[in-house]
Amino acid sequence: MISRVILVLVLVLCAFSASGIDTGKAFDDPEMQARYERLIAEVRCVTCQNQNIRDSNAFIAADLRREIRRLMSEGKNDAEIQDFLVTRYGDFVLYRPRFSGKTLALWVAPFLLVLFGSVAIFRVVRHRMSLPINDEGQAK
Amino acid sequence: MNRFLLPLIAVLLLIPFMILGLRSDPSELPSQYIGKPAPEFNLPTLKDPTRYISTADLRGQVSLVNIWATWCAGCRAEHGFLMQLHKDQEVPIYAINWRDNRDDALKWLAQLGDPYVASGFDADGRVGIDWGAYGAPETFLLNADGHVVYRFTGPLSPAMWEQEFVPRIAELEK
């Protein structure tokens, strides 16, 4: 009984999340449609920053989707469309910001942190391995 | 060497970034046009669809460009202050009426007063996107060459005007 109630609640919530966003096909050509869906999944909605414009029903997201459809119909490639967005809204609008002087730290910092961490662990472990084994439990 | 020295240095190096992170408002996006020419546009005016307002009209004097709409609560909040600016003839205020309904917008101006030299009617919102708008109201300060000097997002108030606009305008008019 309870599981049935939960199921109904989950279904109702799912219905809400699906409403309000235009899910209709934008292009007849399945290849274009796939490209369109990939593009809008990687563009941040500028008012509702933790959503992409595919999942957002904010008007600005709808407008940006329309602009992307227009640019695609005009034959623009992905880089040109991303250029269009970055010129207006900055690197922030792309979920994967492009590699540039401004985004250098963003791209490089994680690798540097992993490198520093590895060096630190390596040195600590090597230091401990060189310690004499004098613990009672291990000395037996 | 003290074994806590290196971790301590690492934490001390991180602290400034943490403070910066706490202080920055992630919802505030910087305009991409600061120091650059204002984005080109050519829009029919709200009051007379046969007349057009374009970027060229913004050159020749320091001006404000206000992005507003009747659906925007913050726009109503700042409207009284815009009327005040208009009355004091501080700077000419141009407007982009963003994704609005012409009749509603005209009614709004008739009821609350019209502080604008002209409002361009951006029905489908394309000019708003060209300007990098992500909400309304937004107010751009342009120099006499038509370059964007500053953008303010949210409703204008006398305090924000004194703090953000007055010194910049004084600098421009020097």
Side-chain angles (χ1 to χ4, degrees):
Chain A
M1 176 60 201
I2 288 195
S3 63
R4 201 173 275 187
V5 170
I6 290 172
L7 180 69
V8 168
L9 276 176
V10 166
L11 288 177
V12 166
L13 287 173
C14 287
F16 275 119
S17 74
S19 69
I21 303 161
D22 63 338
T23 45
K25 278 242 184 307
F27 294 95
D28 288 332
D29 177 7
E31 217 170 281
M32 285 283 267
Q33 178 67 23
R35 216 187 114 205
Y36 171 66
E37 280 172 17
R38 201 184 64 241
L39 272 170
I40 60 175
E42 298 222 344
V43 176
R44 192 189 300 273
C45 165
V46 280
T47 38
C48 35
Q49 300 180 355
N50 292 325
Q51 265 184 321
N52 59 26
I53 61 170
R54 186 185 61 189
D55 296 340
S56 169
N57 57 1
F59 78 80
I60 186 84
D63 280 13
L64 287 175
R65 285 195 298 266
R66 185 198 60 207
E67 290 302 298
I68 289 172
R69 286 197 297 273
R70 180 177 64 81
L71 292 167
M72 285 180 67
S73 322
E74 287 173 5
K76 298 276 194 291
N77 65 30
D78 291 5
E80 287 168 322
I81 291 172
Q82 287 172 346
D83 257 349
F84 174 92
L85 295 164
V86 169
T87 313
R88 286 157 181 75
Y89 291 102
D91 289 304
F92 185 72
V93 76
L94 299 179
Y95 271 109
R96 287 190 295 172
R98 286 178 301 184
F99 194 86
S100 72
K102 271 194 273 179
T103 59
L104 182 73
L106 206 59
W107 281 106
V108 173
F111 298 106
L112 284 183
L113 286 176
V114 167
L115 186 72
F116 286 142
S118 316
V119 169
I121 290 171
F122 179 73
R123 291 186 53 169
V124 167
V125 169
R126 204 177 49 176
H127 175 67
R128 290 199 178 162
M129 278 167 70
S130 69
L131 291 179
I133 300 172
N134 56 2
D135 184 89
E136 275 194 357
Q138 287 178 15
K140 265 181 200 170
Chain B
M1 193 168 67
N2 191 322
R3 56 198 285 248
F4 292 114
L5 191 63
L6 267 178
L8 184 71
I9 290 173
V11 169
L12 287 178
L13 283 175
L14 277 175
I15 284 177
F17 292 100
M18 293 174 177
I19 291 174
L20 276 178
L22 280 176
R23 287 196 171 173
S24 73
D25 178 359
S27 67
E28 204 156 289
L29 297 184
S31 171
Q32 299 301 306
Y33 294 110
I34 305 294
K36 293 182 189 163
E40 293 289 332
F41 71 97
N42 190 30
L43 286 173
T45 61
L46 205 51
K47 289 193 167 161
D48 179 0
T50 61
R51 271 193 54 222
Y52 280 76
I53 171 175
S54 72
T55 331
D57 298 315
L58 306 174
R59 294 190 198 110
Q61 84 277 14
V62 174
S63 64
L64 294 183
V65 176
N66 180 241
I67 296 183
W68 71 282
T70 55
W71 47 259
C72 146
C75 300
R76 186 169 278 264
E78 72 173 5
H79 200 83
F81 182 64
L82 291 180
M83 288 306 293
Q84 183 68 42
L85 287 180
H86 170 64
K87 222 178 69 194
D88 297 345
Q89 299 194 314
E90 296 272 4
V91 267
I93 311 172
Y94 293 85
I96 294 166
N97 177 244
W98 195 27
R99 288 179 116 263
D100 212 344
N101 171 302
R102 189 187 289 270
D103 292 337
D104 290 348
L106 287 172
K107 208 184 290 169
W108 163 299
L109 293 180
Q111 277 172 1
L112 302 172
D114 184 357
Y116 306 119
V117 180
S119 281
F121 181 55
D122 179 25
D124 62 7
R126 268 181 69 175
V127 172
I129 286 181
D130 284 344
W131 280 64
Y134 63 98
E138 290 188 8
T139 307
F140 292 77
L141 174 64
L142 269 54
N143 68 15
D145 299 330
H147 286 51
V148 175
V149 174
Y150 175 68
R151 168 175 73 174
F152 182 80
T153 52
L156 273 177
S157 63
M160 293 319 284
W161 177 258
E162 283 298 325
Q163 185 186 320
E164 304 290 348
F165 285 86
V166 170
R168 287 184 171 94
I169 293 171
E171 183 69 27
L172 290 176
E173 288 179 340
K174 233 195 258 176

PDB file of all heavy atoms in Angstrom, chain B residues 68 104 112:
ATOM      1  N   TRP B  68      13.809  47.303 -19.749  1.00  0.00           N
ATOM      2  CA  TRP B  68      12.648  47.190 -18.859  1.00  0.00           C
ATOM      3  C   TRP B  68      11.501  46.456 -19.545  1.00  0.00           C
ATOM      4  O   TRP B  68      11.514  46.205 -20.752  1.00  0.00           O
ATOM      5  CB  TRP B  68      12.180  48.572 -18.406  1.00  0.00           C
ATOM      6  CG  TRP B  68      11.524  49.382 -19.496  1.00  0.00           C
ATOM      7  CD1 TRP B  68      12.158  50.055 -20.496  1.00  0.00           C
ATOM      8  CD2 TRP B  68      10.115  49.590 -19.687  1.00  0.00           C
ATOM      9  NE1 TRP B  68      11.241  50.665 -21.306  1.00  0.00           N
ATOM     10  CE2 TRP B  68       9.975  50.402 -20.828  1.00  0.00           C
ATOM     11  CE3 TRP B  68       8.969  49.185 -18.999  1.00  0.00           C
ATOM     12  CZ2 TRP B  68       8.729  50.808 -21.305  1.00  0.00           C
ATOM     13  CZ3 TRP B  68       7.723  49.592 -19.475  1.00  0.00           C
ATOM     14  CH2 TRP B  68       7.629  50.406 -20.625  1.00  0.00           C
ATOM     15  N   ASP B 104       0.437  47.097 -23.277  1.00  0.00           N
ATOM     16  CA  ASP B 104       0.733  47.136 -21.838  1.00  0.00           C
ATOM     17  C   ASP B 104       1.811  48.160 -21.545  1.00  0.00           C
ATOM     18  O   ASP B 104       1.730  48.921 -20.576  1.00  0.00           O
ATOM     19  CB  ASP B 104       1.209  45.757 -21.347  1.00  0.00           C
ATOM     20  CG  ASP B 104       0.083  44.739 -21.351  1.00  0.00           C
ATOM     21  OD1 ASP B 104      -1.085  45.154 -21.510  1.00  0.00           O
ATOM     22  OD2 ASP B 104       0.375  43.537 -21.214  1.00  0.00           O
ATOM     23  N   LEU B 112       2.505  55.823 -15.333  1.00  0.00           N
ATOM     24  CA  LEU B 112       3.603  56.093 -14.393  1.00  0.00           C
ATOM     25  C   LEU B 112       4.520  57.203 -14.877  1.00  0.00           C
ATOM     26  O   LEU B 112       5.413  57.633 -14.148  1.00  0.00           O
ATOM     27  CB  LEU B 112       4.418  54.812 -14.167  1.00  0.00           C
ATOM     28  CG  LEU B 112       3.652  53.602 -13.626  1.00  0.00           C
ATOM     29  CD1 LEU B 112       4.537  52.369 -13.636  1.00  0.00           C
ATOM     30  CD2 LEU B 112       3.142  53.878 -12.218  1.00  0.00           C
TER      31      LEU B 112
END
